[in-house]
Amino acid sequence: MANPQLEDGYTKISNQIIDALAKVDLNGTEQKVLWCIFRYTYGFNRKSHKLSATFIAKYGNCSVVAVKKAIKHLREENIILCVNSEEKGVCSELMFNKNFDEWKSNQYTNGYQYTNGHQTSIQTDTATGIQSYTQEIKNINKKSKEIYNVEQSPTSDVFLEVIDYLNRRTGKHFRPENKTTRRHINARIKDGYSLEDLKRVIDLKAGEWMGTEMEKYLRPETLFAGKFEGYLNSCPAAVRKKIAPAQEDEEPAIDLWSCVDAPIIDFSEEVGQ
């Protein structure tokens, strides 16, 4: 039975944003795109984040084609912005435009702006305004990143990837900015362990503890604390060589040459007597 708790993570969204979105006519895929953006921006105390159409489609359980159409429409309506739109060949960095006065779907009609029921001509260059706004967001993100990297360590980029992997593997919602979590991960990195070592331990203990009473211990302070080396050394050789992706359930490879109880196959009938 699902038992979500706020201490496992939550996303803060202004009531004004919710009220404004309720008045906008969005289809199901467009709503899923917005929820994915909310989850990976506001959910991690960020203004924007790089999100591919494939990732959003998997998150919302919908088609990539539908997601691309939804993103295009939301951008046209100025409900979401692409911070790195001038960069070619890179993943789009999307953000939600919380200034709902700029949304075209409920404020702009035929070149006029409607505010409090009064019609006025639009005097501002919308494109220039958006460009200036996205540059401001970039500056905010840069400053936020400096604050986010509490320990100013070269291993800071690992935190988000490790916790995201743990959350996807276990279905939990730990937050990478938690100071205790960051301290444990940073300690293991300073000990010489790699990102892959951290993922190996996650895979091992998730496989052992999911669905048991030990599942509650699938948390950073348990996995990456003092017993980490013991957990890592107990990983099977196959796991130490390669980690299966967290989103896929792959069957372990079978080594027929080392199977003691493997049946002996008689091919004599096929090759002839």
Side-chain angles (χ1 to χ4, degrees), residues 83-231:
V83 176
N84 61 344
S85 58
E86 73 281 0
E87 300 178 22
K88 304 299 181 183
V90 298
C91 184
S92 296
E93 184 172 348
L94 302 176
M95 65 167 289
F96 175 73
N97 181 11
K98 68 178 183 179
N99 185 358
F100 46 78
D101 284 338
E102 295 181 346
W103 298 353
K104 296 181 181 179
S105 56
N106 65 345
Q107 292 293 329
Y108 297 103
T109 305
N110 297 326
Y112 291 94
Q113 177 180 0
Y114 290 85
T115 305
N116 298 326
H118 299 286
Q119 184 185 58
T120 56
S121 297
I122 299 175
Q123 301 295 332
T124 59
D125 185 342
T126 303
T128 303
I130 293 175
Q131 184 178 6
S132 175
Y133 186 52
T134 54
Q135 182 59 48
E136 181 182 350
I137 292 301
K138 285 183 178 181
N139 295 335
I140 294 174
N141 283 343
K142 182 177 179 181
K143 185 176 181 180
S144 297
K145 186 176 180 180
E146 294 174 355
I147 298 173
Y148 183 85
N149 294 331
V150 176
E151 301 185 32
Q152 295 297 314
S153 148
T155 63
S156 294
D157 291 341
V158 176
F159 301 140
L160 180 59
E161 186 169 351
V162 170
I163 298 306
D164 182 61
Y165 189 87
L166 175 61
N167 288 338
R168 288 187 289 115
R169 193 70 172 82
T170 63
K172 297 181 182 295
H173 303 282
F174 296 109
R175 300 173 69 87
E177 63 267 29
N178 182 282
K179 291 184 179 180
T180 301
T181 295
R182 291 164 66 87
R183 185 174 68 251
H184 286 307
I185 293 175
N186 197 52
R188 301 293 75 79
I189 296 298
K190 287 183 177 179
D191 286 343
Y193 296 108
S194 66
L195 172 63
E196 300 307 310
D197 290 332
L198 298 171
K199 290 183 177 181
R200 290 185 186 108
V201 170
I202 292 173
D203 282 330
L204 175 71
K205 306 317 289 184
E208 291 179 355
W209 292 350
M210 288 290 288
T212 72
E213 292 183 357
M214 297 294 290
E215 184 173 340
K216 61 185 177 182
Y217 295 111
L218 287 170
R219 57 194 184 193
E221 58 265 37
T222 299
L223 298 175
F224 310 133
K227 295 184 179 180
F228 177 84
E229 184 176 12
Y231 292 153

